[in-house]
Amino acid sequence: MSNSALNSIEKKAAFSLAIVFGLRMLGLFMILPVFAIYGQELVGYNPIWIGLAIGAYGLTQAMLQIPMGILSDKYGRKPIILAGLLIFLLGSVVAAMSETIYGVVAGRALQGMGAIASAVLALAADLSREEQRPKVMATIGMFIGLSFTLAMIIGPVVAQAFGLSGLFWFTGALTIGAMIMIQFMVPFSVNKAPKGDNVALPNQIGKLIRDRQLIRLNIGVFTLHMALTACFVTLPKQFVAAGLALENHWQLYLPTLLGSFFLMVPFMILAIKKQKEKQMFSSAVLLFSLALMLFWLMDNSLSSLIVLVMLFFTAFNYLEATMPSLLSRLAPAGVKGSVMGIYSSSQFMGAFTGGVLGGAIASQFGEQMIFLVMSCLGLLWFIAATGMKPLKKSKSYSFTTSIATEEQADIVAEKLINLPGVLEATLVHSEAVAYVKLDDKMVDFQEIKTLLNQTPIR
């Protein structure tokens, strides 16, 4: 078997976990294109409560993402993932049976308590070799993007046919499907990736939160998802006001989302081939802010909305796709799990803040003002993004080592960092592992193996 290809276990893990993740995110996202309209039928309707219902899952997700990952390290991946999906199912049932806005908010918050993202990614890491792990993670990321697109299309159709409660019952059915897949289709863990690679380490969190490079991406993903949920407090209403009935909203989302994927491809090719990643990233943030500003300035005709939605999602999809890659390259060696935990928490906290802030702005200043506020916050993000340092090409690898003492670890780490192509090295002798960030086109792997007297973890 060539090391350049996924083996059978990795393929099964990649696609089964991607489907599980996608089904769950589909259930979370389907509310976005419809709730601003259907929520008006609930007892206690108020723009602030609409925003809370849209974003409530983000708060509980942000709070529990890291603890659930740590629990999965202690009690096993599958039991924690199944427990999280069960909690998500209960939240869906609570929301489906509620006739008040308050009950839906409670249900959405309960859905968010099933915070399985970190445990799923940790299981994906357990089931894949180091050199194949990026492919597995990319497959999961692709399905998350696909689930968002499908949610925008399916949500209005399901809500039109079965009402808001039907949407939550449908979400519950998807969750049961995900639980069956976890139990019977996802392989059991056959190897363990080093702890720091896939699970957040509590003693690292404070230091990483203050990292000047990483904080720019954490602020970025917070702002990105804040703007997304805030805008959906009003966007579906604007489509209806422009003459597009709710059951036909898929006719707007399908071409604009597909168009946005095609438009972002040249951005990505230019960024990678011309090594202009920082410049293209900053340009996408600027486009994101500009689209929001134009939502505020332009009329609400259907043709204007179609163009602006496509611009918005071109920037959104580009940023959503590239930030995890940038994050993995900026992450210090050996703490990728902690870095991703902070990033995921920032993302979900942004979703919560956007819902609350969008509802508050709509209640006090009118719904159109949401776009202006989000655009200004996007411009602040753009200013922060321009301060990013140029990115070096690098990959992180994990190696086993027989080094048993801290003194030996210090000596070997010093030798490692002086090897050509090695950018960063961290040795954790208590776990018998070495984390090395390197340029694989310059480094001599055999020299590293000889120095550590071991072979890379497979």
Side-chain angles (χ1 to χ4, degrees):
M1 172 74 69
S2 167
N3 280 340
S4 64
L6 296 175
N7 62 33
S8 59
I9 289 176
E10 288 164 342
K11 287 178 184 176
K12 192 174 182 181
F15 286 100
S16 57
L17 288 173
I19 291 169
V20 167
F21 215 127
L23 287 174
R24 181 177 166 281
M25 297 310 290
L26 180 63
L28 279 173
F29 288 144
M30 279 196 302
I31 192 177
L32 287 180
V34 302
F35 197 71
I37 295 169
Y38 279 89
Q40 297 177 70
E41 301 171 2
L42 294 168
V43 175
Y45 165 77
N46 180 291
I48 293 176
W49 282 97
I50 289 289
L52 271 171
I54 289 174
Y57 78 92
L59 178 63
T60 45
Q61 282 273 335
M63 292 170 62
L64 294 174
Q65 202 63 247
I66 291 174
M68 289 285 274
I70 294 169
L71 286 173
S72 79
D73 196 48
K74 184 174 182 180
Y75 297 108
R77 311 295 186 215
K78 280 195 174 188
I80 295 301
I81 294 170
L82 285 169
L85 287 171
L86 180 61
I87 294 169
F88 186 84
L89 175 61
L90 291 174
S92 301
V93 172
V94 168
M97 296 181 69
S98 297
E99 296 181 357
T100 69
I101 191 79
Y102 318 113
V104 172
V105 169
R108 289 280 284 175
L110 191 56
Q111 282 182 325
M113 291 177 71
I116 63 168
S118 55
V120 169
L121 294 176
L123 181 56
D126 290 346
L127 292 166
S128 56
R129 292 164 293 166
E130 173 72 27
E131 71 275 14
Q132 299 301 332
R133 204 163 294 146
K135 296 178 186 176
V136 175
M137 297 303 181
T139 302
I140 294 173
M142 180 179 68
F143 272 71
I144 294 172
L146 181 61
S147 70
F148 180 81
T149 303
L150 287 174
M152 296 297 103
I153 298 164
I154 295 172
V157 176
V158 173
Q160 177 65 24
F162 304 106
L164 189 62
S165 63
L167 197 68
F168 287 115
W169 287 121
F170 183 67
T171 297
L174 292 176
T175 308
I176 293 171
M179 294 174 76
I180 292 170
M181 287 201 71
I182 284 290
Q183 186 61 33
F184 298 108
M185 292 188 67
V186 176
F188 282 90
S189 180
V190 293
N191 68 297
K192 285 282 182 180
K195 187 182 294 185
D197 258 0
N198 54 22
V199 176
L201 305 174
N203 61 329
Q204 296 284 346
I205 299 297
K207 178 183 175 183
L208 293 170
I209 287 174
R210 296 188 295 272
D211 186 287
R212 291 188 177 184
Q213 288 291 89
L214 295 174
I215 199 170
R216 287 178 166 86
L217 290 177
N218 293 329
I219 289 171
V221 77
F222 177 92
T223 306
L224 190 68
H225 284 264
M226 175 176 63
L228 179 70
T229 52
C231 287
F232 274 98
V233 170
T234 181
L235 264 182
K237 293 182 187 177
Q238 299 206 1
F239 297 153
V240 171
L244 189 67
L246 179 63
E247 62 269 24
N248 296 325
H249 281 194
W250 68 269
Q251 296 173 5
L252 183 148
Y253 289 121
L254 181 59
T256 54
L257 283 165
L258 289 176
S260 70
F261 280 116
F262 282 111
L263 285 173
M264 81 173 188
V265 170
F267 279 82
M268 301 189 80
I269 292 173
L270 184 62
I272 294 167
K273 289 198 170 182
K274 301 292 185 182
Q275 296 187 6
K276 300 284 186 183
E277 288 172 287
K278 178 187 171 183
Q279 293 89 331
M280 297 311 297
F281 180 79
S282 297
S283 298
V285 177
L286 191 59
L287 176 61
F288 174 75
S289 303
L290 177 63
L292 289 167
M293 182 65 73
L294 291 174
F295 270 119
W296 178 63
L297 289 172
M298 293 180 70
D299 60 49
N300 286 339
S301 67
L302 189 56
S303 57
S304 297
L305 287 171
I306 290 170
V307 171
L308 294 179
V309 167
M310 188 176 294
L311 286 177
F312 176 84
F313 279 112
T314 297
F316 180 90
N317 289 329
Y318 178 86
L319 293 164
E320 185 83 337
T322 55
M323 280 199 286
S325 172
L326 297 177
L327 192 77
S328 67
R329 285 159 62 188
L330 288 170
V335 291
K336 197 183 298 180
S338 301
V339 169
M340 289 303 297
I342 297 167
Y343 179 83
S344 295
S345 295
S346 301
Q347 174 183 339
F348 288 117
M349 187 59 76
F352 169 72
T353 305
V356 174
L357 189 57
I361 293 168
S363 180
Q364 295 296 318
F365 306 104
E367 294 182 357
Q368 199 67 13
M369 187 60 67
I370 293 172
F371 298 117
L372 177 61
V373 173
M374 292 301 129
S375 177
C376 291
L377 292 173
L379 288 172
L380 292 176
W381 176 19
F382 170 71
I383 293 168
T386 56
M388 286 177 64
K389 293 178 182 176
L391 293 163
K392 295 179 180 178
K393 288 203 167 191
S394 66
K395 291 182 181 178
S396 293
Y397 286 82
S398 307
F399 298 82
T400 55
T401 176
S402 56
I403 294 168
T405 67
E406 190 171 345
E407 290 77 17
Q408 285 180 304
D410 288 339
I411 294 167
V412 174
E414 185 65 31
K415 290 180 179 178
L416 276 174
I417 202 66
N418 287 314
L419 293 178
V422 175
L423 305 175
E424 190 177 329
T426 303
L427 272 71
V428 185
H429 68 277
S430 59
E431 294 181 21
V433 66
Y435 301 98
V436 185
K437 183 179 285 190
L438 50 83
D439 183 338
D440 59 2
K441 291 183 179 178
M442 294 176 58
V443 79
D444 183 340
F445 279 92
Q446 191 56 49
E447 197 171 2
I448 294 176
K449 295 173 190 177
T450 301
L451 187 58
L452 293 169
N453 200 28
Q454 285 289 343
T455 55
I457 291 174
R458 296 302 185 197

